[in-house]
Amino acid sequence: MLLHIPGVFSQEDVATIRTALEQAEWADGKATAGYQSAKAKHNLQLAEDHPLARQIGEAMLQRLWSNPLFMSAALPHKVFPPLFNCYTGGGSFDFHIDNAIRQVRNSAERVRTDISSTLFFSDPASYDGGELVIEDTYGTQRVKFAAGDLVLYPATSLHKVEPVTRGTRLAAFFWTQSLVRDDGQRRLLFDMDQAIQHLTRDVPEHPALIQLTGNYHNLLRRWADL
């Protein structure tokens, strides 16, 4: 499932974050890539323990944890702390699949990467190229969302970032270990949850809501991986 989650950050917040990121010291992005990915990765990245990365990352996760769309789609159990990248001057990241397990820096915590997410901080009109290209069951998806918006997609997907030929593309990315490992099961639960929310809004007294909600939780109980 590929999902667009708009407005995680307001335009005012995005402008403040972008200014801070533009003034930060960036390092070679290969430092956090696996052996195969490092050969395809040509970008810059904030150090994992950079204070600015922690500050923005914590603010981002606070917003996502209160975002009903993200919670419904991701069913998060663990999250790898957000990382931040910069593509400019032809920077790109060729086709790859994300590592299955990520170890949190300076911690014994490990996160299974069920879901990948990218949050954009640059106005799409301010740079050329830089599309996130995702190969999924519905074909090739090309993503270049507004600043402040997030895209969520299965970490099992083959994906790349096209070369940025003008301007600068700033973004955050992170991985979620979901309560439900299987993407197809998550999609069924997401669709059911969205239907429950719409029925609750439109026909709140309908007796089928109790049965439908019960079925949702029984499926989640059956599929949850704790």
Side-chain angles (χ1 to χ4, degrees):
M1 175 174 62
L2 188 153
L3 184 66
H4 176 198
I5 301 179
V8 175
F9 282 108
S10 69
Q11 291 305 299
E12 293 77 11
D13 288 336
V14 166
T16 300
I17 291 169
R18 189 166 55 236
T19 297
L21 290 175
E22 288 170 348
Q23 296 172 355
E25 294 182 4
W26 295 82
D28 192 332
K30 295 182 188 294
T32 57
Y35 174 75
Q36 289 295 329
S37 294
K39 295 187 288 185
K41 190 175 186 181
H42 306 282
N43 67 2
L44 300 173
Q45 196 165 298
L46 281 186
E48 291 184 59
D49 55 356
H50 195 291
L52 185 59
R54 291 201 301 268
Q55 178 185 352
I56 302 172
E58 288 171 4
M60 179 168 34
L61 293 180
Q62 286 177 2
R63 283 163 172 76
L64 289 172
W65 248 241
S66 62
N67 186 300
L69 196 57
F70 176 82
M71 296 300 289
S72 177
L75 295 171
H77 177 45
K78 299 179 183 179
V79 171
F80 188 87
L83 302 173
F84 296 80
N85 56 25
C86 171
Y87 289 86
T88 190
S92 65
F93 197 165
D94 207 353
F95 274 122
H96 64 285
I97 293 176
D98 294 331
N99 292 348
I101 306 293
R102 304 285 304 201
Q103 178 127 10
V104 178
R105 188 178 179 86
N106 300 321
S107 168
E109 183 81 2
R110 292 189 293 177
V111 177
R112 187 184 67 236
T113 59
D114 298 324
I115 301 166
S116 296
S117 297
T118 296
L119 195 152
F120 297 87
F121 290 118
S122 298
D123 186 327
S126 70
Y127 63 97
D128 292 337
E131 293 86 353
L132 174 61
V133 181
I134 303 167
E135 300 282 355
D136 68 8
T137 54
Y138 299 101
T140 301
Q141 312 293 322
R142 301 180 68 85
V143 177
K144 190 175 181 179
F145 289 152
D149 289 8
L150 179 138
V151 61
L152 174 155
Y153 61 97
T156 53
S157 304
L158 190 67
H159 60 285
K160 69 175 180 177
V161 176
E162 295 279 29
V164 173
T165 57
R166 177 186 66 87
T168 300
R169 176 194 189 269
L170 297 170
F173 62 102
F174 65 96
W175 297 275
T176 302
Q177 179 174 327
S178 178
L179 290 168
V180 177
R181 181 192 300 244
D182 183 79
D183 180 58
Q185 293 172 345
R186 284 197 309 273
R187 179 58 190 258
L188 287 172
L189 289 168
F190 174 72
D191 289 344
M192 186 179 291
D193 186 42
Q194 294 304 296
I196 291 169
Q197 292 185 40
H198 291 157
L199 288 172
T200 301
R201 180 192 64 209
D202 298 338
V203 284
E205 304 303 322
H206 198 291
L209 267 172
I210 296 175
Q211 182 178 11
L212 186 59
T213 303
N215 288 340
Y216 172 87
H217 285 286
N218 285 334
L219 286 173
L220 180 57
R221 184 177 293 111
R222 173 175 295 227
W223 291 336
D225 182 12
L226 292 171

